[in-house]
Amino acid sequence: MSYCVALRLNSGLVFMADTRTNAGVDNVSRYTKIHTWSVQGELQIYLLSAGNLATSQAVISHLQEGDKAPDGPKLGLMQVTSMFQAARLLGETLREVIGEMRDGGQEASKQFDATLILGGQVKGGKMSLYLIYPEGNFIEVSDDQPFFQIGETKYGKPILVRAFDECLSFNEAVKLLVVSFDSTIKANVSVGMPLDLCIYERDSLTPGHSQRLAEDNEYFQELSRLWGAKLKDAFGDLPDFQLSRPHRN
Amino acid sequence: MSYCVALRLNSGLVFMADTRTNAGVDNVSRYTKIHTWSVQGELQIYLLSAGNLATSQAVISHLQEGDKAPDGPKLGLMQVTSMFQAARLLGETLREVIGEMRDGGQEASKQFDATLILGGQVKGGKMSLYLIYPEGNFIEVSDDQPFFQIGETKYGKPILVRAFDECLSFNEAVKLLVVSFDSTIKANVSVGMPLDLCIYERDSLTPGHSQRLAEDNEYFQELSRLWGAKLKDAFGDLPDFQLSRPHRN
């Protein structure tokens, strides 16, 4: 399992992903799950992946091969002229990779599934986010659905739903993501530190801030502690239920 | 999907369950998911179920048949002499019911699965909770795991983990459950109001308080509103992240 989130703010895009992968609890590794493609002033693309690691890596390698041989049979992400084209290319590549596994006689194709988030901007187009399903089809971010999560999405969703606002600053958005990831990491050992963070500023067409938050990151530790305390305080302040007839306690 | 929780407190047991069942989103019904068996001064048993409704109902009917004909071939829950015996009886009955479906030539036996929480007390024994798996085996509540959840457990778990304490009063415990159910209902339409609540006082061997919280329950609505506001306040009070280099926002 993984946990990746992409937020669309008025000021840009914010991506966060954990780095833990596992093939069973006795085989845990660390891989980055955010990949970027940059052509200064032309395009800036981010890709986040959850699911089968071999599938995600194959998809990325196929795209990189296309980038290296732009006249070859494969397209690369560097050659797309819109984010929609990028989403189509990724969806096709993902479906092909999963299809190859299945055609190779492997059963239970579900275990080869991966889900992707694509985000970024191509010159002349608008900044956008797409969620790409293992079947190769995809949905685009909208005003009603201004963020995407993939992987272990449930534990960290309630705070996103309650506190997300497209007017958040980058610093507030990172705070929101840290709280969401903290809840998830506490609940599911298959999601783990360190966390990768990438920020894209709208219309910049250049790599923005990126950073890795390690286990001992002071901000993460402080926020985790404070949030736990504040939740307990907030819960304590709520009015108790009143049983409609008397009880011993 | 369903959502059921059972808490073991020092003063007794508290059970809460939603009442929504569905066979697809176009076929939604309402059923109670808490069943009780009482013999005043002898035993008080609660059963909560999540999963296939036909399986849960078959299990309960088998046990009730046993109760009606105490000398017949089937045992009823009324005849058990300990909670462990009750858990064994339930586990066996559940495995038999699921097994019959599979032996009847039905594939995908997983869709007939149900998971149960058993709680209560039998005279001379201690008050306890058991979580019973579709395979018929079960685990007992412990000091490290003082509550059980079944069904759609993820959205409502973080607040249970952070705020549960065995010293909670019944009124505080119901407050905690209402917050946990509110988060779950907001996130998953297959979990829905009204909610059933049952309370068992330790060593009472008698049915305790029970009540149904309807959609328009004032306490539920007030708590949902307040909790949302307090979460937003608590989140706002947390220190923002500081990007390590300046940004436009």
Side-chain angles (χ1 to χ4, degrees):
Chain A
M1 197 56 94
S2 303
Y3 183 40
C4 305
V5 184
L7 308 178
R8 186 190 67 178
L9 306 174
N10 292 334
S11 48
L13 303 171
V14 185
F15 304 92
M16 191 173 274
D18 82 312
T19 52
R20 186 164 295 174
T21 73
N22 75 89
V25 289
D26 56 348
N27 189 355
V28 174
S29 312
R30 183 186 292 179
Y31 280 92
T32 183
K33 297 169 191 173
I34 305 186
H35 292 83
T36 58
W37 283 258
S38 308
V39 184
Q40 183 75 32
E42 295 291 329
L43 65 80
Q44 180 64 33
I45 291 177
Y46 299 84
L47 182 64
L48 287 73
S49 58
N52 186 291
L53 181 64
T55 298
S56 313
Q57 290 194 348
V59 168
I60 290 160
S61 299
H62 275 294
L63 296 170
Q64 286 170 340
E65 276 194 15
D67 289 330
K68 281 178 199 156
D71 301 325
K74 287 188 202 305
L75 254 181
L77 267 182
M78 303 282 207
Q79 287 109 53
V80 298
T81 55
S82 70
M83 286 302 291
F84 174 71
Q85 224 180 71
R88 278 181 54 102
L89 175 59
L90 263 167
E92 281 165 22
T93 311
L94 180 59
R95 187 171 49 217
E96 275 171 29
V97 167
I98 296 175
E100 277 168 24
M101 299 286 178
R102 201 171 32 222
D103 296 344
Q106 299 292 339
E107 288 184 17
S109 70
K110 224 169 174 52
Q111 65 178 298
F112 303 116
D113 277 2
T115 307
L116 307 174
I117 293 174
L118 167 74
Q121 192 168 15
V122 176
K123 192 178 173 181
K126 69 181 200 304
M127 174 186 90
S128 194
L129 290 176
Y130 290 87
L131 178 70
I132 299 165
Y133 297 105
E135 292 77 8
N137 57 351
F138 48 84
I139 56 174
E140 190 178 357
V141 78
S142 73
D143 291 341
D144 291 318
Q145 174 63 57
F147 60 84
F148 286 134
Q149 302 170 282
I150 53 176
E152 177 55 278
T153 60
K154 293 187 179 183
Y155 299 108
K157 190 174 184 187
I159 188 63
L160 288 180
V161 170
R162 294 202 195 248
F164 179 82
D165 188 313
E166 293 195 281
C167 300
L168 291 179
S169 71
F170 288 133
N171 283 327
E172 289 167 330
V174 175
K175 174 172 79 167
L176 177 59
L177 290 174
V178 166
V179 171
S180 178
F181 273 76
D182 180 42
S183 299
T184 308
I185 288 169
K186 281 208 166 36
N188 186 332
V189 293
S190 76
V191 177
M193 301 281 285
L195 305 177
D196 285 328
L197 164 69
C198 288
I199 292 176
Y200 172 75
E201 292 182 57
R202 185 187 286 268
D203 298 332
S204 67
L205 296 172
T206 186
H209 178 84
S210 74
Q211 174 175 352
R212 176 164 280 194
L213 305 183
E215 260 106 325
D216 60 355
N217 182 278
E218 277 179 31
Y219 179 74
F220 187 93
Q221 292 185 342
E222 172 75 355
L223 216 67
S224 174
R225 193 185 59 72
L226 276 175
W227 181 241
K230 281 184 184 297
L231 272 189
K232 277 200 134 175
D233 288 350
F235 179 73
D237 287 347
L238 292 175
D240 286 350
F241 186 68
Q242 297 299 326
L243 286 176
S244 44
R245 62 191 178 86
H247 270 260
R248 286 207 296 259
N249 66 312
Chain B
M1 197 56 94
S2 303
Y3 183 39
C4 305
V5 184
L7 309 178
R8 187 190 66 179
L9 307 175
N10 292 334
S11 48
L13 303 171
V14 184
F15 304 92
M16 191 174 273
D18 82 311
T19 51
R20 186 165 293 173
T21 72
N22 76 88
V25 288
D26 55 349
N27 189 355
V28 174
S29 312
R30 183 187 293 179
Y31 280 93
T32 183
K33 297 169 191 172
I34 306 188
H35 291 82
T36 58
W37 282 258
S38 308
V39 183
Q40 182 75 31
E42 294 292 329
L43 65 80
Q44 179 65 34
I45 291 178
Y46 299 83
L47 182 64
L48 287 72
S49 57
N52 186 291
L53 180 64
T55 298
S56 313
Q57 289 194 348
V59 168
I60 290 160
S61 298
H62 275 294
L63 296 170
Q64 285 170 340
E65 277 194 14
D67 289 330
K68 282 177 199 157
D71 301 325
K74 285 189 203 307
L75 252 182
L77 267 182
M78 301 283 207
Q79 286 108 53
V80 299
T81 55
S82 70
M83 287 302 292
F84 175 70
Q85 225 181 68
R88 278 181 53 102
L89 175 60
L90 264 167
E92 281 166 22
T93 310
L94 180 60
R95 188 171 49 218
E96 274 171 30
V97 168
I98 297 174
E100 277 168 23
M101 299 286 180
R102 201 171 32 223
D103 296 345
Q106 299 293 341
E107 288 184 18
S109 70
K110 224 171 175 51
Q111 64 178 300
F112 303 116
D113 277 2
T115 307
L116 307 174
I117 294 175
L118 167 75
Q121 192 168 15
V122 176
K123 193 177 172 181
K126 70 181 199 304
M127 176 187 87
S128 193
L129 289 176
Y130 290 87
L131 178 70
I132 299 166
Y133 297 105
E135 292 77 7
N137 56 352
F138 49 83
I139 56 174
E140 190 178 357
V141 78
S142 73
D143 292 342
D144 291 320
Q145 174 64 56
F147 61 83
F148 286 133
Q149 303 170 282
I150 53 176
E152 177 55 279
T153 60
K154 293 187 177 183
Y155 299 109
K157 189 174 184 186
I159 187 64
L160 288 180
V161 170
R162 293 201 195 249
F164 178 82
D165 189 312
E166 293 196 280
C167 300
L168 290 180
S169 71
F170 287 134
N171 284 327
E172 289 166 330
V174 175
K175 174 171 82 167
L176 176 60
L177 290 174
V178 166
V179 171
S180 178
F181 273 76
D182 180 43
S183 299
T184 308
I185 289 170
K186 280 206 167 40
N188 187 333
V189 293
S190 76
V191 178
M193 303 281 285
L195 305 177
D196 285 329
L197 164 68
C198 288
I199 293 176
Y200 173 74
E201 292 182 57
R202 185 188 287 268
D203 299 331
S204 67
L205 296 172
T206 187
H209 177 82
S210 75
Q211 171 175 355
R212 176 162 280 192
L213 305 183
E215 260 106 325
D216 60 356
N217 182 276
E218 277 181 30
Y219 179 74
F220 187 93
Q221 290 185 345
E222 172 75 356
L223 214 68
S224 173
R225 193 186 59 73
L226 275 176
W227 180 243
K230 281 185 183 298
L231 272 188
K232 276 200 134 175
D233 288 351
F235 179 73
D237 288 348
L238 292 175
D240 286 350
F241 187 69
Q242 298 298 327
L243 287 176
S244 44
R245 63 190 178 82
H247 269 260
R248 286 208 294 258
N249 66 315

